[in-house]
Amino acid sequence: MNKFLFIAADFLSRPPGFYVMIIAMVVCTALVPFGLTNAVTYALSVAAIVITGVVLIQGYRDTAAIHAKLDEIIVALNDARNDVVGLEHADPEEIKAKLVKLEEEAARTATDQA
């Protein structure tokens, strides 16, 4: 199912997919005078849900790519700690605790350098 969703999101996030959605909306709007208001409302609601899903999937893909790039930078730097690699998969409490620890270290380093 994930593969299908990613393929659909990829198609709909490009110009041909956008044109398909525009044509579908124009067709739905053209059906209103024929008394198909309920069908049009349903179709446009489904289209809105699909578009929302596309936005969420694309956001997930972008975020995952950014995390992969940041992880690569962390691993490439010999002085960096590798314990933050993959932190996005941790529990929110663990992420918050790590963030507090890193902010304390940054503050300490800033005062030491000043």
Side-chain angles (χ1 to χ4, degrees), residues 26-76:
V26 168
V27 168
C28 286
T29 305
L31 294 175
V32 169
F34 300 107
L36 298 172
T37 306
N38 289 340
V40 169
T41 303
Y42 175 76
L44 292 178
S45 295
V46 169
I49 291 168
V50 167
I51 290 170
T52 302
V54 167
V55 168
L56 291 172
I57 289 171
Q58 289 302 101
Y60 165 77
R61 292 172 82 174
D62 290 346
T63 302
I66 289 169
H67 281 289
K69 291 172 184 178
L70 289 172
D71 289 349
E72 174 65 23
I73 291 169
I74 291 168
V75 170

Side-chain angles (χ1 to χ4, degrees), residues 1-10 49-50 53 57 60-61:
M1 184 68 176
N2 284 350
K3 188 172 184 174
F4 171 75
L5 291 175
F6 281 109
I7 290 170
D10 190 52
I49 291 168
V50 167
I57 289 171
Y60 165 77
R61 292 172 82 174

